[in-house]
Amino acid sequence: MLKLRSDKKILSDVFNSFVRQLYTKETKLYKGICKPKLFLAKFLATSCKDEFCIDKPTKWPSGKPANFKFHQETETILNEQINTELKAFYHYLSMAAYFGRADVALPGCESFFMQMHHEEHEHAIRFLNYVKMRGGLVNLCPIQPPSDQDWKCPLHAFKTALTLELEVAEKLVAVNAVAEKHGDLNASDFIVTGFMEDQMKSVNEMGRFVAVLSGIGDQSLARFIFDKDLLEHYVQPKFNILRSKLRPNSTDK
């Protein structure tokens, strides 16, 4: 209790010292005020009448963001697109974790799906930033986890990945349709030039992987070769899980 009173006294002394300094500097403006605390109240009450104070305090945030022809329906479907991207992001993370298990040990698949995981996250952030840039409101929805996180084999995982990429592509087409419906050229251009071509490439790539894996079946050697080829030719170095595990003093040959 003694310490609390001491702290309060220190704060009171600091406050009074500040008021006295301000009072001393501005005494000429407020000659009729004798007590420093009354002076401070008067000073704060009249400060907005000063020539330097242009606007009075208003409600924040105002709830009226500035935007140019950004229709509510376009904003809503873009928020849905964020959720679609995050759903794929969540699935790819689950796949990467599965293939990285010690009893599965497919570093190519693990690295590839970790790369896809980062790509979908990047897409979601791009959509989020676009909604903000257009003066819209970002409304995030719950992300549903995969119903079955035992991916069993690469073929099952890549079939699911193909389904996810097709779902993302369909959603992009829907977003573009809504943007065109409301004459939103900027949103339409954002979708078409920023995402559509890359999305078509992803669909094609996943389809090719499914075709190859369907042909090799469950042969262990073929699965090993596929995983090795995936790691060498389809994974960026920064996502290569084997390279990241190398010791700092080791070098690539």
Side-chain angles (χ1 to χ4, degrees):
M1 182 63 73
L2 183 61
K3 185 179 185 303
L4 180 60
R5 289 178 179 175
S6 176
D7 291 342
K8 286 184 177 180
K9 186 176 185 306
I10 292 173
L11 290 174
S12 177
D13 291 344
V14 171
F15 175 76
N16 289 332
S17 175
F18 164 74
V19 173
R20 288 193 185 95
Q21 290 179 18
L22 184 63
Y23 175 70
T24 302
K25 292 180 181 179
E26 304 291 342
T27 302
K28 294 181 181 180
L29 297 177
Y30 300 96
K31 292 181 179 179
I33 301 176
C34 298
K35 295 183 179 180
K37 289 184 179 180
L38 291 177
F39 161 74
L40 180 63
K42 179 69 175 178
F43 180 81
L44 294 175
T46 59
S47 61
C48 277
K49 296 179 181 179
D50 190 85
E51 60 180 349
F52 298 105
C53 186
I54 300 174
D55 296 320
K56 293 183 179 180
T58 58
K59 179 183 177 182
W60 184 90
S62 65
K64 297 180 180 180
N67 61 59
F68 178 73
K69 295 184 178 180
F70 191 49
H71 197 274
Q72 179 65 45
E73 188 179 2
T74 308
E75 177 187 308
T76 300
I77 200 167
L78 280 168
N79 275 300
E80 292 174 1
Q81 182 67 37
I82 294 173
N83 187 255
T84 302
E85 300 286 351
L86 290 177
K87 176 186 175 182
F89 153 89
Y90 216 32
H91 277 67
Y92 288 139
L93 181 61
S94 173
M95 294 174 188
Y98 175 82
F99 290 111
R101 282 169 39 178
D103 58 336
V104 178
L106 289 176
C109 291
E110 178 187 4
S111 301
F112 179 80
F113 285 122
M114 186 58 70
Q115 177 176 278
M116 294 300 297
H117 155 79
H118 281 274
E119 181 180 303
E120 298 303 332
H121 179 261
E122 180 184 329
H123 290 174
I125 296 300
R126 285 176 63 188
F127 277 104
L128 184 146
N129 287 334
Y130 181 77
V131 172
K132 292 192 300 178
M133 185 272 288
R134 291 296 303 274
L137 300 178
V138 175
N139 292 305
L140 299 179
C141 304
I143 307 173
Q144 293 297 327
S147 56
D148 182 9
Q149 300 190 46
D150 181 6
W151 297 104
K152 300 177 179 64
C153 66
L155 178 58
H156 176 54
F158 276 98
K159 280 185 175 180
T160 304
L162 176 59
T163 301
L164 288 170
E165 294 301 323
L166 288 170
E167 182 180 343
V168 171
E170 290 288 348
K171 197 67 177 180
L172 287 172
V173 172
V175 174
N176 184 59
V178 171
E180 290 183 340
K181 171 185 172 183
H182 297 292
D184 195 332
L185 299 180
N186 186 264
S188 179
D189 180 68
F190 174 71
I191 296 297
V192 174
T193 62
F195 292 93
M196 286 304 298
E197 183 176 354
D198 287 342
Q199 190 60 37
M200 295 302 102
K201 290 179 180 178
S202 293
V203 170
N204 178 268
E205 187 175 68
M206 292 300 179
R208 293 169 70 88
F209 289 146
V210 169
V212 171
L213 289 168
S214 298
I216 66 176
D218 195 35
Q219 301 176 48
S220 299
L221 179 59
R223 186 169 60 241
F224 170 79
I225 294 174
F226 172 83
D227 188 74
K228 184 174 182 294
D229 183 72
L230 189 68
L231 186 62
E232 291 178 354
H233 298 102
Y234 293 92
V235 175
Q236 298 177 32
K238 64 180 179 180
F239 295 112
N240 187 323
I241 193 67
L242 295 183
R243 181 170 296 187
S244 67
K245 290 180 179 179
L246 292 175
R247 295 180 181 178
N249 59 352
S250 62
T251 56
D252 294 333
K253 294 183 180 180

